[in-house]
Amino acid sequence: MGALLQQGEESPFIAVNAQGRSPFVLICEHASNTLPKALGTLGLPEADLTRHIAWDIGAEKVARLLSRLMDAPLLLQRYSRLAYDCNRPPESPDSIPEVSELTAIPGNKKLSAADRLARARDIYRPFHDGVSAVLDKRAAEGQRSLVVSIHSFTPVYKGKPRSVELGILHDRDTTLSSKLIKSFPNIDARLNEPYGPKDGVLHTLNLHGFARGLQHAMIEIRNDLVATERGQDEWAQRLSVPLIQAATK
Amino acid sequence: MGALLQQGEESPFIAVNAQGRSPFVLICEHASNTLPKALGTLGLPEADLTRHIAWDIGAEKVARLLSRLMDAPLLLQRYSRLAYDCNRPPESPDSIPEVSELTAIPGNKKLSAADRLARARDIYRPFHDGVSAVLDKRAAEGQRSLVVSIHSFTPVYKGKPRSVELGILHDRDTTLSSKLIKSFPNIDARLNEPYGPKDGVLHTLNLHGFARGLQHAMIEIRNDLVATERGQDEWAQRLSVPLIQAATK
């Protein structure tokens, strides 16, 4: 079975500020809309590859600013979720979506077992191995880790507008999310909206947070609020203080 | 930082019957009492290295028989839990125990960050990577997986005898364990005994079962019942039918 990524293509995993001294480790699974060259455009027009279906608009920028403000490691995934959604396990049909929101993805139809395995092996696995290695090293050094993933959501989903501005998502362990939700008095912030554990979106945090006994939370920002540099800067500032406080309380 | 395992030493992970067609994937983290050569005897007399503190007596044998009866892949870890307990994340002090039951482990005292990292990197990580790779492959092939780990416990713990014969352990997802617990009418079988999730023993299953949305359960057999070949055979037979039934119900 051939490799999905060709020589010279970027690794799916990069660590920004890997030595950061913050107790937080930031993760951004949907940072990029890049497709592996071997997948072409997955049969989609270019316009679809800049929409929310391909990546979390603004999330990487907010996460990079937060990483700097908090001196936190930031672990970025470098390929579009249309190639493989790294916040889904290989068992999930959503890991390589045949339809995303209302858009059919021609290049994801009727994949062979070998094609599916190549996507998981060459994108999902190296990304999560990279996350594990950073957390293993911190643990060996006795450095505490809290795991926070940064996402953005589309203001209109399947034709319906969403008014929620900030989602704080959790599955079983609510320690961190219950602190954070109280920290945004002037924002329409809600727990487990617009998604929650039943949508399968807590995969990364269950894997690297819950299973290791590390506090964790998923942050979802409505993407029209972080589409500009000004919005990204505003939201990074807004998130940094409650996060730092939640770790010390 | 040097490698913990020297050339010629066994890999921490081996897959028995990797192509098995059962929906079950069996895991045995505490199969062996072998120590990496570089660790010597960890300062322990040989007699301690054959006790429960070093491995789960009888567990590998039962698991191998079950693997054959059920045509299930069996994923074995090849080193003593005294070197690294693969059912604990690197964050857990129990991952490299300084004291096990009532026995001090001299070779695990005051380890440097580099020593701790070498244990995790060279034992824990390759084992769990091996488990992930088997599950990834099955997922890509559309093969359903239920994850069951096979353990044994000591009949006397810290001086207290235990009457429970069979423990079926679960954390949040009780789907499989609630079926299995009804299947042993003539056995002293109990849920979450003699250990449970608060003891941190559900790590492997939370990592490979819960986080992936796969049904799972941990099986703990009192080790005096599986100390002989006859006992091992009896218990493999006894466990195989309820497991097969639980997957089809």
Side-chain angles (χ1 to χ4, degrees):
Chain A
M1 183 177 43
L4 175 64
L5 298 173
Q6 298 160 12
Q7 221 177 352
E9 284 192 276
E10 211 174 2
S11 159
F13 171 83
I14 58 167
V16 175
N17 190 20
Q19 307 299 323
R21 301 309 300 169
S22 167
F24 285 95
V25 173
L26 304 173
I27 296 181
C28 199
E29 302 101 317
H30 302 147
S32 169
N33 65 346
T34 303
L35 285 170
K37 287 190 187 114
L39 300 182
T41 65
L42 288 170
L44 293 168
E46 287 292 337
D48 278 333
L49 298 177
T50 56
R51 287 172 51 208
H52 172 75
I53 63 167
W55 60 331
D56 279 356
I57 293 162
E60 176 176 350
K61 294 282 178 61
V62 172
R64 282 184 180 269
L65 290 166
L66 258 181
S67 161
R68 211 174 304 154
L69 285 167
M70 297 168 68
D71 190 22
L74 166 61
L75 313 180
L76 295 168
Q77 203 284 104
R78 302 315 300 153
Y79 291 97
S80 170
R81 72 169 130 231
L82 296 175
Y84 188 102
D85 184 336
C86 281
N87 194 24
R88 296 291 190 291
E91 286 80 5
S92 167
D94 296 340
S95 62
I96 308 172
E98 293 196 13
V99 176
S100 180
E101 204 175 332
L102 300 170
T103 306
I105 317 298
N108 289 348
K109 284 254 176 207
K110 292 187 188 166
L111 295 187
S112 68
D115 287 337
R116 299 186 67 82
L117 186 55
R119 302 265 189 112
R121 186 199 56 199
D122 294 349
I123 300 177
Y124 172 81
R125 194 49 61 199
F127 175 68
H128 287 288
D129 286 353
V131 175
S132 293
V134 168
L135 293 173
D136 288 354
K137 186 158 181 291
R138 290 170 64 96
E141 291 167 350
Q143 197 176 357
R144 180 186 177 210
S145 296
L146 297 88
V147 186
V148 167
S149 66
I150 306 292
H151 292 254
S152 71
F153 60 93
T154 179
V156 179
Y157 184 73
K158 294 186 178 172
K160 280 197 183 166
R162 287 160 161 171
S163 59
V164 54
E165 295 173 302
L166 173 66
I168 310 283
L169 280 54
H170 64 82
D171 194 350
R172 184 184 204 179
D173 180 355
T174 62
T175 318
L176 183 57
S177 57
S178 63
K179 288 179 192 171
L180 290 175
I181 195 64
K182 296 177 191 148
S183 307
F184 302 94
N186 302 315
I187 301 287
D188 185 346
R190 307 184 198 175
L191 283 176
N192 283 347
E193 285 197 37
Y195 312 106
K198 283 182 187 164
D199 305 300
V201 299
L202 273 293
H203 173 62
T204 293
L205 293 179
N206 279 326
L207 194 64
H208 297 291
F210 181 65
R212 300 176 74 121
L214 302 175
Q215 288 185 36
H216 54 277
M218 182 168 172
I219 289 179
E220 283 272 10
I221 311 165
R222 206 177 66 207
N223 74 24
D224 58 312
L225 305 173
V226 290
T228 63
E229 266 188 44
R230 184 171 166 170
Q232 290 152 10
D233 195 57
E234 196 179 295
W235 275 87
Q237 298 280 351
R238 179 175 285 145
L239 291 166
S240 62
V241 177
L243 282 169
I244 291 165
Q245 286 175 336
T248 54
K249 266 187 286 195
Chain B
M1 184 174 46
L4 176 64
L5 298 173
Q6 298 160 12
Q7 221 178 350
E9 283 192 277
E10 212 176 358
S11 158
F13 171 84
I14 60 169
V16 175
N17 191 19
Q19 308 298 324
R21 301 309 299 168
S22 166
F24 285 95
V25 173
L26 304 173
I27 297 182
C28 199
E29 302 102 315
H30 302 147
S32 170
N33 64 346
T34 302
L35 286 170
K37 287 191 188 113
L39 300 182
T41 64
L42 288 171
L44 292 169
E46 287 294 337
D48 278 334
L49 298 177
T50 56
R51 287 171 51 210
H52 172 75
I53 61 168
W55 60 330
D56 280 355
I57 294 163
E60 175 176 348
K61 293 282 178 60
V62 173
R64 282 184 180 269
L65 290 165
L66 259 180
S67 160
R68 211 175 304 154
L69 286 167
M70 299 168 67
D71 190 23
L74 166 61
L75 314 180
L76 294 168
Q77 204 281 107
R78 302 313 301 153
Y79 292 96
S80 170
R81 72 169 130 230
L82 295 176
Y84 189 102
D85 185 335
C86 281
N87 194 24
R88 297 292 190 290
E91 286 79 6
S92 166
D94 296 340
S95 62
I96 307 172
E98 294 195 12
V99 176
S100 180
E101 206 175 330
L102 299 171
T103 305
I105 317 299
N108 287 349
K109 284 254 174 207
K110 292 187 187 165
L111 295 186
S112 68
D115 288 337
R116 299 186 66 82
L117 186 56
R119 302 265 189 111
R121 185 199 59 198
D122 293 349
I123 300 178
Y124 172 81
R125 194 49 62 198
F127 174 69
H128 287 287
D129 286 352
V131 175
S132 294
V134 168
L135 293 173
D136 288 355
K137 185 159 182 293
R138 290 170 64 96
E141 289 166 353
Q143 198 176 356
R144 180 186 178 212
S145 296
L146 297 88
V147 185
V148 167
S149 66
I150 307 292
H151 293 254
S152 71
F153 61 94
T154 179
V156 179
Y157 183 73
K158 294 187 178 173
K160 281 196 181 164
R162 287 161 161 168
S163 58
V164 54
E165 294 174 303
L166 173 65
I168 310 283
L169 280 55
H170 64 81
D171 194 351
R172 185 184 203 177
D173 181 354
T174 61
T175 318
L176 184 56
S177 57
S178 63
K179 288 180 191 166
L180 290 176
I181 194 66
K182 296 177 192 146
S183 307
F184 303 94
N186 302 314
I187 301 287
D188 184 346
R190 309 185 197 174
L191 283 176
N192 283 348
E193 288 200 35
Y195 311 106
K198 283 183 185 163
D199 304 299
V201 300
L202 273 293
H203 173 62
T204 293
L205 293 178
N206 279 325
L207 193 65
H208 297 291
F210 180 66
R212 300 176 75 122
L214 302 175
Q215 287 183 36
H216 55 277
M218 181 168 171
I219 289 180
E220 283 272 11
I221 311 166
R222 205 178 63 206
N223 75 23
D224 57 312
L225 305 172
V226 291
T228 64
E229 266 188 44
R230 185 171 167 171
Q232 290 152 11
D233 195 57
E234 197 180 294
W235 276 87
Q237 297 282 351
R238 180 175 285 144
L239 290 166
S240 62
V241 177
L243 281 169
I244 291 165
Q245 287 175 335
T248 54
K249 267 186 286 195

